[in-house]
Amino acid sequence: MAGQAGTIRYWAAAKAAAGTAEEPYEAETLAEALAAAQAAHAERPEFARVLLSCSFLVDGNPVGTRDHSGIGLTEGGTVEVLPPFAGG
């Protein structure tokens, strides 16, 4: 898969499910980056489940409910994977 190169950072339960705090991506869109991450962690079924409840920041901007296939990634960018947090 060709695309922009950057970093995915996992927080809290996403970090535990991925077994790593961060990893590189090479993708054009957020959807592509997340699909590649799921494939890379296919041996960790909890990872895919956790991703379903996560919020995402792309280069510091909240993705919200926008379609992930329409969220372009930048060279050297960062995707933050944020599971729901308890407390305040």
Side-chain angles (χ1 to χ4, degrees):
M1 180 183 307
Q4 307 299 328
T7 303
I8 298 178
R9 292 188 184 140
Y10 301 107
W11 298 95
K15 178 179 172 181
T20 186
E22 64 181 50
E23 62 190 354
Y25 69 72
E26 188 171 330
E28 290 294 327
T29 68
L30 178 58
E32 289 176 9
L34 294 176
Q38 283 185 314
H41 297 286
E43 76 288 352
R44 296 173 159 271
E46 179 70 4
F47 180 74
R49 189 189 69 72
V50 168
L51 278 186
L52 292 175
S53 65
C54 286
S55 298
F56 304 95
L57 299 176
V58 174
D59 297 333
N61 299 307
V63 170
T65 59
R66 291 181 289 160
D67 182 353
H68 295 169
S69 63
I71 307 296
L73 301 179
T74 59
E75 185 69 26
T78 302
V79 173
E80 307 278 350
V81 180
L82 308 167
F85 291 94

